[in-house]
Amino acid sequence: MTALLDTARQLGLLPEEYDAICNYLGRVPNFTELSIYAVMWSEHCSYKNSIRWLKTLPKESERMLAKAGEENAGLVDIGHGLGCAFKIESHNHPSAIEPYQGAATGVGGINRDIFTMGARPIAQLNSLRFGKLEEERTRWIIRGVVKGIGDYGNAFGVPTVGGEVFFDDSFTVNPLVNAMSVGIVEHGKTVSAIACGKGNPVFIVGSHTGKDGIHGATFASGDLTEDSAKDLPAVQVGDPFQEKLLLEASLEVIQTGAVIGMQDMGAAGIICSTSEMSAKGEAGMDIHLDRVPTRQANMKAWEILLSESQERMLIVAKRGEEHKVLEVFEKWDLNCVQIGEVTEGPNLRFFMNGTLEAEVPADSLVLGGGAPVYEREYREPDYLQKIAAYSPEDVRQPEDLLPVMGYLAGHPNLASKRWISQQYDSTIGTVNMNANAPTDAALVYVKESGQALALSVDCNSRYVFADPRKGTAIAVAEAARNIVCSGGTPLAITNCLNFGNPYNPEVYWQFVEAIQGMGEACRALDTPVTGGNVSFYNQSSFEGPVFPSPVIGMLGLVEELSRTMNLDFQQAGDLLYLLGPQSEDMGSSQYLYGYHGVKFSPCPEFNLETEIQIQKLVSALIRGQHLESAHDVSDGGLWNCLLESALVGSYGFDIQLPESFRSDAFLFGEAQSRVVVSVAPEQEDSFLKEAVRSGLPFLKLGQVTEGQILINGKSYGSIEDFRSLHEDSLENILS
């Protein structure tokens, strides 16, 4: 008994969890059964420390076709008989240890979640966070992650259409790699992750099973330490060409009508797929592990069960129609082996060469069933006292704005990410609408309906660190603002919640506050949560927890393509207006944090009602064809917004800042709910009528120039003086 308890602890199980396992089984578990519970009750699979709060998020909408948690991904009605499946997930720990395969298999896994439902992936996005760029290890991680994402996505044949990259010292040991996939499916042609019907055959399809990724879910549910490199076998190895075959075969086999249920084998492999499908269908399974095609000889039962080898699916077919399934996978030259059958009763039974290796109730393993649910202690962090002590009067105003303009133009958080994006194929599939027309959100053409999806990923980790509730609400609002500025209507979100150790009360407070802020913003903006991913334990013994990063992936819809809106200036002489509050709020800005080194300052002020009204105004202006461009003011403030809009067409700008505000704060501060628009002179009257009617604040800044930059009448050179700083700085560091 003592030996088994020690083994349970080594596998990550708590003493009370070991006791619960004994109660479920009515006996002492064997090693294989302990391993099963260890992976299925890990945070990565069970959400045991987060589900209590996740359940408070809004999930209802008339467009919802599948609620959060019902299927592998969210499913939203986009009209014309079509649904959009989308989801974002993390692959943080594997990417810290083996960046290339860690990132590549993250891309593969999230795409499988989409096409397992019967949806064809048409677009990918990502959200990446890295540490100190001066360290060679950070540069090694970046190169590996970017190449892994690019190689897998490019070979798989789905364009990478957008994303974000953020740098901060807190991510030096533990980077964040979040991947999002988006797919399209016709109504009524989805398939569920379910097992039912006594005697129905169970197939494993796709790649061979190897020893890669064993206990990967457990590995992802612990802090990174000096010994984490020894967990390299817990990192999977991907094959995008195999995944492409699996995609086509999976979509084809669904059309045969022979499939009862299907689920990909991601975290925890065979045991996860069999338990979740069985629990959902209130059935059991008999599985013969010796029938599983393996890459290595003499694999043990528990190794086969827990392997996270990539590019594999579990299919439950209709008895008597096995030949339809076999024919499809034979056509695509993929493994398709019947390894078991559905049974009556609650138990999963796993056999190896006729010997019963494990027998466990399926429902006892899964979220919503027997998996434990905890509410951890939480309290406000001590660092909030430092934030409360901040005073803008202590921040010295620069005598000359030019050095700050150059600093921000070239800062890796604000500069062009061209070095990264050029490694991704963004044009394959001919659906990316942003190749020559940049917009705040990524626009993806839906060939079946003639509409466009508007997609964005957003989170400012500094804001969330300063105020998790407000910072997360801002992340939701900015994702929506990007979609609105592109001509779209926000519909729903998915999320990837990246935090430190949940047993740390200060970290758990960040998590709880973030969930509450997300819920408030999603309810206000009518963008329900379709699902997502929780990634705890993003910290190390060296650096402590990372900045809390609840990344928001948002889906929007552009119903009329003539109403899309670019972010770039269109011609000299157009008038520039700032919509939204006029403010000198510098809190948590890149200017304050980086240029002045003020690491503790408040999150920018934010009002949800103001945000809603600004988005309504921008939508009305776009629909009325009053605008030439629209670009939201976010990271880097007004200066970075103008710079990005000007650089595309080599235009400049001549603006006048309000005398009542500090020039540096107004230009570089990151006050929220603001949008810069350009207006053709002949449209100014109609624009002003709409703006005045809204009752919202707005300010005429100036006009677009042929290329000169003037602020308060002073020349700051040409836009070309900033081009190299903005476009080449990250490449110069990394290459």
Side-chain angles (χ1 to χ4, degrees):
M1 178 69 76
T2 303
L4 269 176
L5 275 171
D6 289 341
T7 301
R9 290 192 189 96
Q10 291 169 9
L11 292 172
L13 291 164
L14 300 172
E16 58 267 31
E17 291 173 346
Y18 176 82
D19 292 339
I21 293 167
C22 293
N23 287 333
Y24 275 121
L25 298 180
R27 56 178 170 79
V28 174
N30 62 33
F31 175 77
T32 299
E33 291 163 340
L34 267 184
S35 296
I36 287 172
Y37 280 98
V39 293
M40 290 306 298
W41 285 6
S42 68
E43 179 65 36
H44 193 73
C45 291
S46 73
Y47 289 3
K48 59 188 177 184
N49 290 310
S50 57
I51 190 61
R52 150 86 172 79
W53 291 100
L54 296 178
K55 286 182 176 179
T56 68
L57 293 171
K59 302 176 179 66
E60 300 293 335
S61 164
E62 61 183 18
R63 286 185 176 267
M64 273 311 189
L65 299 176
K67 294 181 182 179
E70 284 186 347
E71 299 296 347
N72 284 334
L75 190 62
V76 174
D77 184 4
I78 57 171
H80 297 268
L82 299 174
C84 179
F86 71 116
K87 189 180 182 182
I88 189 169
E89 281 196 342
S90 64
H91 233 221
N92 302 335
H93 279 37
S95 300
I97 302 303
E98 211 300 294
Y100 180 85
Q101 290 294 351
T105 51
V107 172
I110 195 64
N111 278 305
R112 282 196 303 281
D113 278 340
I114 301 304
F115 69 76
T116 302
M117 295 177 64
R120 178 175 291 276
I122 64 168
Q124 301 171 132
L125 300 90
N126 53 68
S127 174
L128 311 175
R129 278 159 177 72
F130 303 111
K132 300 174 184 175
L133 274 167
E134 60 269 24
E135 293 194 6
E136 177 53 37
R137 180 180 178 275
T138 297
R139 297 194 292 273
W140 169 73
I141 289 174
I142 296 171
R143 295 186 194 106
V145 164
V146 172
K147 185 169 175 56
I149 291 172
D151 284 0
Y152 201 104
N154 298 351
F156 181 57
V158 176
T160 300
V161 298
E164 62 168 5
V165 184
F166 183 85
F167 300 91
D168 184 81
D169 290 358
S170 73
F171 303 105
T172 299
V173 174
N174 198 135
L176 302 183
V177 177
N178 296 178
M180 178 173 167
S181 181
V182 181
I184 298 295
V185 62
E186 292 182 35
H187 289 186
K189 293 189 176 181
T190 56
V191 65
S192 184
I194 193 170
C196 58
K198 179 183 178 183
N200 280 332
V202 179
F203 291 89
I204 188 169
V205 303
S207 294
H208 285 66
T209 297
K211 294 187 178 183
D212 49 325
I214 293 174
H215 273 297
T218 309
F219 167 57
S221 303
D223 297 348
L224 288 176
T225 68
E226 292 178 343
D227 296 326
S228 290
K230 297 176 183 177
D231 290 319
L232 193 58
V235 179
Q236 309 93 324
V237 178
D239 182 346
F241 301 103
Q242 190 85 337
E243 176 128 326
K244 174 62 174 174
L245 298 177
L246 187 59
L247 160 66
E248 300 301 339
S250 297
L251 295 183
E252 186 173 326
V253 79
I254 291 170
Q255 301 308 312
T256 67
V259 175
I260 297 287
M262 180 164 61
Q263 182 166 333
D264 78 296
M265 291 183 187
I270 291 174
I271 184 56
C272 186
S273 300
T274 54
S275 60
E276 290 183 350
M277 292 178 74
S278 294
K280 186 171 184 178
E282 298 182 349
M285 286 186 190
D286 281 354
I287 300 294
H288 301 273
L289 298 171
D290 50 286
R291 300 179 189 172
V292 175
T294 57
R295 286 203 301 267
Q296 283 118 338
N298 303 317
M299 286 183 68
K300 297 179 176 62
W302 67 271
E303 292 176 321
I304 296 172
L305 263 178
L306 273 57
S307 168
E308 295 182 10
S309 292
Q310 298 292 285
E311 293 85 43
R312 300 178 302 157
M313 299 282 199
L314 195 75
I315 292 178
V316 175
K318 295 177 182 177
R319 184 169 52 175
E321 299 188 23
E322 297 91 339
H323 63 284
K324 295 180 181 180
V325 177
L326 291 165
E327 286 169 3
V328 169
F329 285 92
E330 182 179 2
K331 169 188 171 181
W332 290 99
D333 196 25
L334 291 168
N335 288 320
C336 180
V337 179
Q338 183 177 343
I339 61 171
E341 55 280 325
V342 178
T343 62
E344 285 185 340
N347 286 357
L348 297 169
R349 298 197 301 169
F350 299 99
F351 298 88
M352 189 77 170
N353 299 316
T355 301
L356 181 63
E357 296 282 347
E359 182 172 6
V360 294
D363 192 66
S364 72
L365 298 173
V366 301
L367 170 67
V373 175
Y374 301 120
E375 182 175 352
R376 298 298 175 194
E377 174 193 357
Y378 57 93
R379 65 170 180 270
E380 288 191 358
D382 291 339
Y383 69 75
L384 293 182
Q385 297 174 14
K386 297 180 182 179
I387 291 174
Y390 162 81
S391 172
E393 285 74 27
D394 296 335
V395 180
R396 178 183 54 82
Q397 296 189 53
E399 296 179 3
D400 186 359
L401 297 176
L402 186 60
V404 186
M405 293 160 65
Y407 168 81
L408 294 177
H411 193 281
N413 280 342
L414 305 176
S416 167
K417 308 304 186 294
R418 183 180 61 178
W419 181 88
I420 293 174
S421 62
Q422 285 181 343
Q423 297 187 52
Y424 305 150
D425 191 335
S426 62
T427 60
I428 191 169
T430 64
V431 295
N432 185 4
M433 297 172 60
N434 295 112
N436 299 307
T439 51
D440 273 12
L443 297 182
V444 177
Y445 183 57
V446 181
K447 297 178 181 180
E448 296 87 344
S449 67
Q451 300 174 308
L453 302 179
L455 308 168
S456 61
V457 288
D458 262 297
C459 178
N460 187 308
S461 301
R462 277 197 310 274
Y463 297 174
V464 183
F465 176 76
D467 187 329
R469 184 182 297 225
K470 190 186 298 181
T472 306
I474 288 174
V476 176
E478 186 178 341
R481 200 184 316 139
N482 285 331
I483 287 171
V484 168
C485 286
S486 303
T489 301
L491 299 183
I493 75 160
T494 179
N495 58 60
C496 197
L497 309 178
N498 306 274
F499 291 84
N501 192 317
Y503 293 88
N504 178 335
E506 295 189 352
V507 166
Y508 203 70
W509 178 85
Q510 293 173 333
F511 172 75
V512 171
E513 287 288 301
I515 292 294
Q516 292 177 327
M518 185 186 306
E520 291 166 4
C522 287
R523 278 184 280 270
L525 294 165
D526 193 22
T527 53
V529 180
T530 64
N533 172 231
V534 177
S535 177
F536 279 135
Y537 302 98
N538 291 292
Q539 65 181 65
S540 69
S541 53
F542 319 108
E543 300 283 350
V546 300
F547 269 2
S549 302
V551 174
I552 304 299
M554 185 171 285
L555 168 70
L557 184 65
V558 181
E559 297 186 271
E560 297 180 56
L561 297 187
S562 61
R563 296 295 184 262
T564 61
M565 180 54 57
N566 293 2
L567 65 83
D568 54 315
F569 299 148
Q570 299 299 300
Q571 56 265 325
D574 283 351
L575 307 172
L576 295 174
Y577 280 87
L578 175 65
L579 307 179
Q582 298 164 35
S583 171
E584 54 182 355
D585 189 340
M586 294 185 291
S588 292
S589 63
Q590 184 64 58
Y591 168 59
L592 199 61
Y593 188 87
Y595 189 80
H596 286 288
V598 178
K599 304 301 182 185
F600 297 93
S601 65
C603 179
E605 282 304 313
F606 179 66
N607 182 280
L608 266 170
E609 184 56 37
T610 300
E611 179 69 38
I612 292 168
Q613 295 308 313
I614 284 292
Q615 293 188 20
K616 287 181 177 178
L617 172 59
V618 173
S619 291
L621 291 168
I622 293 173
R623 285 196 308 271
Q625 298 183 302
H626 302 307
L627 304 181
E628 297 296 308
S629 70
H631 191 17
D632 82 305
V633 181
S634 55
D635 300 359
L638 178 61
W639 158 246
N640 197 59
C641 175
L642 293 166
L643 181 69
E644 290 177 342
S645 294
L647 278 169
V648 179
S650 297
Y651 291 106
F653 47 88
D654 180 357
I655 62 171
Q656 195 73 26
L657 305 180
E659 294 181 1
S660 56
F661 296 118
R662 286 178 53 159
S663 293
D664 63 330
F666 195 85
L667 195 58
F668 309 129
E670 298 174 10
Q672 295 299 297
S673 306
R674 298 186 299 163
V675 176
V676 169
V677 298
S678 63
V679 180
E682 61 270 22
Q683 283 290 327
E684 186 176 24
D685 287 346
S686 58
F687 162 80
L688 287 173
K689 287 179 183 177
E690 193 74 50
V692 170
R693 188 182 300 123
S694 75
L696 291 166
F698 64 93
L699 172 70
K700 187 173 185 178
L701 290 170
Q703 64 180 354
V704 178
T705 70
E706 293 287 356
Q708 305 79 28
I709 295 177
L710 295 98
I711 301 174
N712 293 341
K714 179 180 178 180
S715 173
Y716 288 90
S718 157
I719 193 68
E720 297 304 321
D721 297 333
F722 294 94
R723 183 174 297 282
S724 179
L725 265 177
H726 186 75
E727 295 183 353
D728 301 334
S729 62
L730 186 59
E731 182 174 356
N732 291 339
I733 293 170
L734 293 173
S735 62

